[in-house]
Amino acid sequence: MPISVITAASAGTWTLGDLTVNRIGFGAMRLTSTGSAASDRDRAVGVLRRAVELGVNHIDTAAFYFSPLRSANEIINTALSPYVDDLVITTKVGPGRDPSGEWLPLARPDELRGQVEENLRQLGRDHLDVVNLRQHGLESVAEHFGALADLREAGLIRHLGLSNIRPQHLAQALAIAPVVCVQNPYGVDTRRMHDQFVRTCGEQGVAFVPFFAIAGDAREAGGVAANTAVQAIAHARGVTPAQVRIAWTLSRGPHLLAIPGTSNPDHLVENLAAGALVLSTDELASLE
């Protein structure tokens, strides 16, 4: 596909509540994981602005995405404020880090308002479009999700989602308030035992937003996970393994939203171009 026609709209759209987003968005975690030179921060700002120019209108972030020198939320604010009307910024609460970067215990329900307000301050917003409760180790998310539902009623949050959950958590949350998205690790070779849960989300009109779909088990280390079938398709089609992985993600259903992240402007264009890559039945079968 010629670069001149590459756009995030090539893979179609989905609605998060009353907000329409292109199915390829942008994950902000990588913005803080490059080197320490000031030019890297400038490049991150440039990548965000270029992403929006190319039609990205769904950005995934969190207040706990920060390094010793950079904060993803602050970079988003610097690059994109004042925000265009159709830009949807999704953040997540639950985990937290102290100023030195050390992880804190999962926030209590009564601490979630402070985390929401931290995101509001950093992003320069008066409300958050989508807030995901990212859980860890909870048998029930009801109390935590209920606290966020109260903040939704108060006007601080527009829509609610869930992250890092088990299937029963979705039912617990839906009994309290609408859920517009689920963020879980999922990819060609990552957590495939959740195939049915992915389908269940689609049946209930809930977007499924995989993370680590490109890095696989490498997780925060970044890069593209090695996979012989992925590499064979990439070679045959003249595309990158990351593009094959994004195309596979989008093939799993119209409710799948991809949020590949990068601080490299060339990789940004490649990721968005994957929205126009349609894998054949045989190629999809080889990835199973």
Side-chain angles (χ1 to χ4, degrees):
M1 172 182 286
I3 290 178
S4 61
V5 297
I6 287 175
T7 168
S10 61
T13 62
W14 185 259
T15 56
L16 299 172
D18 61 347
L19 303 171
T20 300
V21 297
N22 290 323
R23 291 181 62 214
I24 297 187
F26 184 90
M29 185 175 70
R30 304 282 177 223
L31 295 178
T32 66
S33 59
T34 55
S36 60
S39 61
D40 288 342
R41 183 182 182 282
D42 293 339
R43 187 171 75 161
V45 168
V47 165
L48 275 171
R49 290 175 175 165
R50 183 61 175 150
V52 172
E53 288 173 358
L54 293 174
V56 169
N57 60 2
H58 175 215
I59 295 177
D60 176 78
T61 187
F64 53 81
Y65 289 170
F66 67 86
S67 66
L69 296 179
R70 288 188 293 281
S71 151
N73 281 356
E74 185 273 331
I75 292 174
I76 291 169
N77 191 342
T78 297
L80 302 178
S81 180
Y83 301 102
V84 295
D85 290 342
D86 68 342
L87 179 64
V88 175
I89 298 179
T90 297
T91 190
K92 56 194 76 67
V93 296
R97 296 163 68 192
D98 67 22
S100 70
E102 292 297 315
W103 287 102
L104 300 169
L106 186 74
R108 301 187 309 269
D110 64 319
E111 294 174 321
L112 293 177
R113 183 183 183 109
Q115 291 192 342
V116 166
E117 291 174 343
E118 181 181 19
N119 279 279
L120 288 169
R121 284 191 300 271
Q122 293 176 354
L123 291 167
R125 305 290 295 266
D126 59 7
H127 76 279
L128 299 173
D129 298 319
V130 182
V131 173
N132 289 320
L133 171 66
R134 182 174 174 85
Q135 78 86 35
H136 178 74
L138 296 176
E139 285 303 313
S140 172
V141 298
E143 191 175 359
H144 285 76
F145 195 78
L148 291 181
D150 290 342
L151 297 178
R152 175 175 173 266
E153 290 297 318
L156 296 183
I157 301 171
R158 190 161 182 169
H159 297 296
L160 298 173
L162 296 164
S163 178
N164 199 43
I165 64 164
R166 299 187 295 280
Q168 64 266 31
H169 291 140
L170 177 59
Q172 293 166 359
L174 285 171
I176 297 169
V179 175
V180 300
C181 58
V182 166
Q183 282 191 357
N184 270 14
Y186 184 68
V188 171
D189 39 24
T190 304
R191 304 293 180 92
R192 290 298 301 281
M193 75 285 289
H194 294 313
D195 283 353
Q196 179 55 53
F197 183 43
V198 172
R199 290 190 288 268
T200 297
C201 286
E203 292 164 0
Q204 300 194 44
V206 176
F208 193 92
V209 190
F211 57 88
F212 301 141
I214 294 177
D217 289 336
R219 295 180 176 266
E220 285 86 350
V224 181
N227 180 294
T228 302
V230 168
Q231 290 169 324
I233 294 170
H235 179 74
R237 297 287 292 269
V239 298
T240 69
Q243 288 175 313
V244 174
R245 286 178 172 272
I246 293 169
W248 181 89
T249 294
L250 297 171
S251 78
R252 304 301 287 177
H255 65 299
L256 271 285
L257 306 182
I259 50 169
T262 183
S263 59
N264 183 310
D266 294 330
H267 291 168
L268 169 69
V269 173
E270 290 175 356
N271 291 343
L272 297 183
L277 177 62
V278 178
L279 300 177
S280 71
T281 302
D282 289 344
E283 288 169 334
L284 290 172
S286 74
L287 295 172
E288 294 299 309

